Amino acid sequence: MSVNACICDRLDHPPSPYYRLAMTAAGKHQVSRAQTRGSRQGRAGIRDVAAAAGVSITTVSDALNGKGRLPDATRRHVREVADRLGYRPSAAARTLRTGKSGLIGLTVTTYGDEPFTFTEFAYFAEMARAATSAALARGYALVILPATSRHDVWSNVALDGTVVIDPSDHDPVVTELVRQGLPVVSDGRPAGTLPVTAWVDNDHEAAVLDLLDHLADAGARRIGLLTGTTTDTYTRLSTTAYLNWCERVGQDPVYEAYPAHDPCAGAVAADRLLARPDRPDAVYGLFDPNGTDLLAAARRYGLRVPDDLLLVCCSESTVYANTEPPITTLSLKPRRIGTAVVQLLIDAIEGVDTDGPVEQVIPTELIVRTSSQRRSPRTTVSPPRSPAKE
Amino acid sequence: MSVNACICDRLDHPPSPYYRLAMTAAGKHQVSRAQTRGSRQGRAGIRDVAAAAGVSITTVSDALNGKGRLPDATRRHVREVADRLGYRPSAAARTLRTGKSGLIGLTVTTYGDEPFTFTEFAYFAEMARAATSAALARGYALVILPATSRHDVWSNVALDGTVVIDPSDHDPVVTELVRQGLPVVSDGRPAGTLPVTAWVDNDHEAAVLDLLDHLADAGARRIGLLTGTTTDTYTRLSTTAYLNWCERVGQDPVYEAYPAHDPCAGAVAADRLLARPDRPDAVYGLFDPNGTDLLAAARRYGLRVPDDLLLVCCSESTVYANTEPPITTLSLKPRRIGTAVVQLLIDAIEGVDTDGPVEQVIPTELIVRTSSQRRSPRTTVSPPRSPAKE
DNA sequence: CGATCATGCAGAAACGTGTCTGTCAACGCG
DNA sequence: CGCGTTGACAGACACGTTTCTGCATGATCG
């Protein structure tokens, strides 16, 4: 007690280095308390508001949160006093009391040592943007949490739920989260028996089949695939869809796989694909940079696009609208996916009865450009400002 | 013990008001504890671990946090029991008690209604990735918080500090954060008297001057600029640097400005720039998509790159390595910026004495490719700083 | 051999909020 | 006039952790 008084007294004078040492060593705790309490610089608490407004803590809480039954006069008065004091409720205390933090995790499974995959930049960025928008429109904020991050980070943040992008089979992080009772919504249909609350995905098989049909319609006789060596769901489903299509139409599969997280390997693999003796006359690249890589490789081999080689790649980038020639792309609609994932997650968090299915399939969009149209009727110079070709 | 068992039994039945009265009246602390804790679905707390290990709460806390003075045997025992119970400390409680949440905000100033700007995707994605890596390497997680988000979101998350990307003059969010005593580190030199804790930035003027010299060295006589209509620091500094350079070398400025957040407007502006009567023979585009836009526009007007038109744009995208021709780009090194910003912020949070300056300038990198080399006898990389400065 | 000290651990006070419970006054009604 | 009812508010507890203080128990030293 006397110690407190002593230190408080000292605080009234400019603290010398000696005092600071003494403080941190001895009564650091009490001091900060006296600081925050004594209407000093520390943030004002609900008690200060109650005292300043001449009401009880309950009344302040009810007035600010719109609960209880209070006359409007009291409510307004409290609000005004709170504003005047610059009162901000402590998020930590509120979270502790209510059990809701207003935070949802955005988890990205990684393949290298980086938090998220390089080749999925455009997709991830668009998806994250949409997810962020959707989340904060409903009063939530997003926390970026790579699946391979240190464990203490995971346990140090209070999450109401998590979005998992493309979880791997039996993802330990996901199972741990579910075990804790947290809602988990995945972007990408969960493999195996991963117990997610809900998931959103494209129909990758249908998209690939559709795309291959489109190429075949354009005159392709042997369609090649540029795919990845990773085992994520997207790569796996797309590749098997390709193989199935090949079997159906009786074409020998022609594909090259490369580690998708390595940006240089893509160019090499594209080159390899076009250097094969059974060179394809059309190629679909699963990853974003494949378009320019394939275009460059085609140029090296003197192949004209689309005359000698039809080209399609999966990308969200707008650069393919202005390449020479413009390249047909498959869009996975990351904006719609990000929005849907967050909506589903928040519905689960807030206990909204999801009478609908907890699985949601977002349609893909094939943006047809010159690179996949063998004989376009006009080869004239296209008008300057036409965002959509044909 | 018998009391606990009794109440646990009763909890299996719907509790009557009488029991609840009796409980709250009689056994205050212990009873409610037994109520919430009776090894039911709720997560195990530190008390459960203490009870199961036969030690006190203090011992558990000290053992798990590596504090206090405990024999290794006790420490190991407690750890093991905690693991067995699946104990995870409550982040909210810890934050409330310690005042540190381990969360840092990643704030993006926006120009439209979207959380972050479209044209800065690649830059933002790289920067965010590096920032995320750096943060979690030091035990922190990142929260995405657009500056224009609802106020309740801001006050609902306990932040230890914030990174602000390119804050506008007198940003109300930043001043509010600083007023709360939170460390704020900005990516981009703060305009006006914005009281940030530290900032990291490129030397945009030097980068632009260097780049223009490079173009002039390659033979450019009239260099045009594709810039934005927004007033952010990057656009402003780059544009004035261009104007200053023009004045210095006695060239009439030739530039077109467009709303950078509109992806279509860029193509139109590029076209407009090349359609001018005083058509430039070299162009620098400030934004990422300008490269492909300018290339497409040049093609429409029958201009060969680099023979008739030299091209440089500011971009982090790798597609420009494989365009026809490859385009010289200016990289702002977002990875280094993201890392530096987070390091500075965490240093400030943890009170590390920053003996060094709180301002950090990251050098840019001009990646010279074919598009800016008029007549290159060979593909030697020209040194960044050309000796012929004047 | 008693005083001192280091050691190992338990008790309890906060952190700041939400909310359950209870009190006091006013009021309508028989 | 008494009594149940309702409105407006205050008191107090609990969320789960960290940490300061304090009490034992043995060991060490004067």
Side-chain angles (χ1 to χ4, degrees):
Chain A
M1 204 46 162
S2 65
V3 175
N4 284 3
C6 168
I7 290 180
C8 285
D9 285 346
R10 279 175 181 172
L11 270 184
D12 290 337
H13 310 293
S16 75
Y18 169 74
Y19 287 143
R20 294 186 53 180
L21 270 175
M23 276 162 45
T24 50
K28 161 175 154 192
H29 192 220
Q30 316 296 348
V31 171
S32 68
R33 206 197 120 216
Q35 245 182 347
T36 58
R37 280 304 176 65
S39 73
R40 285 180 102 76
Q41 59 185 2
R43 302 226 323 259
I46 198 175
R47 280 184 299 267
D48 304 304
V49 178
V55 295
S56 82
I57 295 178
T58 309
T59 307
V60 174
S61 179
D62 284 348
L64 295 182
N65 294 345
K67 301 195 171 182
R69 29 181 205 198
L70 303 175
D72 281 352
T74 306
R75 225 175 270 275
R76 261 183 286 114
H77 175 59
V78 170
R79 263 184 241 257
E80 186 205 329
V81 171
D83 278 350
R84 186 157 47 79
L85 294 185
Y87 167 71
R88 299 268 161 264
S90 152
R94 183 189 301 239
T95 300
L96 177 59
R97 184 61 234 245
T98 61
K100 297 295 172 197
S101 66
L103 293 177
I104 61 190
L106 182 60
T107 303
V108 195
T109 54
T110 91
Y111 301 106
D113 51 349
E114 289 291 340
F116 29 89
T117 314
F118 185 85
T119 52
E120 292 166 357
F121 256 25
Y123 177 86
F124 174 78
E126 282 249 30
M127 190 271 192
R129 179 164 80 145
T132 305
S133 283
L136 67 92
R138 292 185 66 171
Y140 287 75
L142 246 56
V143 184
I144 307 177
L145 281 176
T148 59
S149 59
R150 286 163 41 180
H151 196 73
D152 59 330
V153 177
W154 270 101
S155 61
N156 253 343
V157 45
L159 256 34
D160 288 346
T162 311
V163 170
V164 184
I165 299 184
D166 210 4
S168 58
D169 312 9
H170 310 294
D171 193 319
V173 177
V174 173
T175 51
E176 166 69 11
L177 290 172
V178 170
R179 206 186 57 76
Q180 284 183 22
L182 280 183
V184 175
V185 178
S186 79
D187 168 12
R189 143 180 14 210
T193 58
L194 215 56
V196 299
T197 311
W199 57 260
V200 179
D201 202 354
N202 308 110
D203 189 345
H204 290 300
E205 290 107 326
V208 170
L209 296 181
D210 202 43
L211 184 156
L212 295 174
D213 283 340
H214 165 76
L215 285 175
D217 286 346
R221 301 306 310 261
R222 181 158 52 216
I223 306 179
L225 183 75
L226 204 50
T227 179
T229 53
T230 53
T231 62
D232 57 305
T233 315
Y234 165 69
T235 304
R236 193 159 34 78
L237 288 182
S238 300
T239 306
T240 56
Y242 166 78
L243 295 176
N244 289 340
W245 187 88
C246 286
E247 188 170 13
R248 181 156 61 80
V249 304
Q251 183 211 299
D252 285 338
V254 185
Y255 63 92
E256 293 283 343
Y258 73 100
H261 52 84
D262 179 2
C264 292
V268 176
D271 208 89
R272 222 166 43 215
L273 187 59
L274 297 189
R276 291 173 66 128
D278 54 344
R279 168 190 292 164
D281 61 350
V283 176
Y284 171 48
L286 283 188
F287 304 106
D288 199 300
N290 291 160
T292 44
D293 290 345
L294 284 165
L295 206 54
R299 238 180 272 121
R300 280 193 291 274
Y301 289 101
L303 300 173
R304 291 166 306 168
V305 176
D307 305 281
D308 305 321
L309 183 70
L310 298 174
L311 233 50
V312 178
C313 79
C314 183
S315 165
E316 311 303 330
S317 173
T318 57
V319 303
Y320 290 120
N322 282 325
T323 48
E324 174 60 26
I327 296 182
T328 297
T329 55
L330 177 70
S331 168
L332 303 180
K333 296 288 170 184
R335 299 195 40 155
R336 290 190 56 183
I337 288 194
T339 305
V341 163
V342 165
Q343 298 292 1
L344 248 41
L345 181 60
I346 297 182
D347 284 350
I349 290 171
E350 296 181 348
V352 173
D353 286 333
T354 53
D355 50 339
V358 290
E359 313 170 356
Q360 202 165 321
V361 175
I362 305 291
T364 57
E365 184 187 6
L366 190 65
I367 303 169
V368 178
R369 301 199 182 93
T370 314
S371 75
S372 69
Q373 294 175 300
R374 176 124 319 175
R375 48 184 65 86
S376 57
R378 42 165 163 263
T379 58
T380 63
V381 183
S382 46
R385 53 201 76 173
S386 63
K389 310 280 185 200
E390 302 240 341
Chain B
M1 206 48 165
S2 65
V3 175
N4 285 5
C6 167
I7 289 181
C8 285
D9 285 344
R10 279 175 182 170
L11 269 184
D12 291 335
H13 312 292
S16 76
Y18 170 74
Y19 287 141
R20 297 187 53 177
L21 268 174
M23 275 161 46
T24 51
K28 40 176 188 180
H29 206 110
Q30 317 296 344
V31 172
S32 67
R33 232 198 88 207
Q35 190 187 7
T36 58
R37 273 293 151 270
S39 76
R40 293 179 93 77
Q41 59 185 5
R43 303 219 325 252
I46 197 175
R47 280 185 298 264
D48 304 298
V49 178
V55 296
S56 82
I57 294 177
T58 309
T59 306
V60 175
S61 179
D62 283 347
L64 295 182
N65 294 346
K67 300 196 169 180
R69 23 178 213 203
L70 301 175
D72 281 353
T74 307
R75 227 176 268 274
R76 261 183 286 113
H77 175 58
V78 169
R79 264 183 240 256
E80 185 206 328
V81 171
D83 278 350
R84 185 157 48 78
L85 295 185
Y87 167 70
R88 297 270 161 263
S90 153
R94 177 182 303 217
T95 300
L96 177 59
R97 182 62 231 244
T98 61
K100 298 294 172 199
S101 66
L103 293 177
I104 61 189
L106 182 61
T107 303
V108 196
T109 53
T110 91
Y111 302 107
D113 50 351
E114 289 292 341
F116 29 89
T117 314
F118 185 84
T119 52
E120 292 166 359
F121 256 23
Y123 176 86
F124 175 78
E126 282 250 32
M127 190 272 193
R129 179 166 79 146
T132 305
S133 284
L136 66 92
R138 293 185 64 171
Y140 288 75
L142 247 56
V143 184
I144 307 178
L145 281 176
T148 59
S149 58
R150 285 164 41 181
H151 195 72
D152 59 331
V153 177
W154 269 100
S155 61
N156 254 344
V157 45
L159 256 34
D160 288 346
T162 313
V163 169
V164 184
I165 298 184
D166 210 5
S168 58
D169 313 7
H170 310 295
D171 195 317
V173 177
V174 174
T175 51
E176 166 70 12
L177 290 171
V178 171
R179 205 185 58 74
Q180 284 183 22
L182 280 183
V184 175
V185 177
S186 78
D187 168 11
R189 156 178 2 217
T193 58
L194 216 55
V196 299
T197 311
W199 56 260
V200 178
D201 202 354
N202 307 109
D203 189 347
H204 290 302
E205 289 108 326
V208 169
L209 296 181
D210 203 45
L211 184 156
L212 295 174
D213 284 340
H214 166 75
L215 285 174
D217 286 347
R221 303 306 310 260
R222 181 159 51 217
I223 306 180
L225 183 75
L226 205 49
T227 179
T229 53
T230 52
T231 62
D232 57 303
T233 315
Y234 165 68
T235 305
R236 194 158 34 77
L237 288 182
S238 301
T239 306
T240 56
Y242 167 77
L243 295 176
N244 290 339
W245 187 88
C246 286
E247 188 170 11
R248 179 156 62 80
V249 305
Q251 183 212 300
D252 285 337
V254 185
Y255 65 92
E256 294 283 341
Y258 74 98
H261 51 84
D262 179 1
C264 290
V268 176
D271 206 270
R272 223 165 43 213
L273 186 58
L274 297 190
R276 291 174 63 128
D278 54 346
R279 168 190 295 165
D281 61 352
V283 176
Y284 172 48
L286 283 188
F287 303 106
D288 199 301
N290 292 160
T292 44
D293 290 345
L294 284 165
L295 205 55
R299 236 180 274 121
R300 282 194 289 272
Y301 289 103
L303 300 173
R304 294 164 305 168
V305 175
D307 305 282
D308 304 322
L309 184 70
L310 298 174
L311 233 49
V312 178
C313 78
C314 182
S315 165
E316 312 303 330
S317 173
T318 57
V319 304
Y320 289 120
N322 282 325
T323 48
E324 174 60 27
I327 295 181
T328 296
T329 54
L330 176 71
S331 169
L332 303 180
K333 296 289 172 183
R335 298 195 40 156
R336 291 191 55 183
I337 289 194
T339 306
V341 163
V342 165
Q343 298 293 2
L344 249 41
L345 181 60
I346 297 182
D347 284 349
I349 290 172
E350 296 181 348
V352 174
D353 285 333
T354 53
D355 52 337
V358 290
E359 312 170 358
Q360 203 166 323
V361 175
I362 305 292
T364 57
E365 184 186 8
L366 189 64
I367 302 167
V368 178
R369 300 199 183 93
T370 315
S371 75
S372 69
Q373 295 176 300
R374 177 134 313 177
R375 48 182 63 88
S376 60
R378 51 179 65 196
T379 58
T380 58
V381 180
S382 63
R385 301 162 198 40
S386 55
K389 206 62 168 187
E390 207 277 320

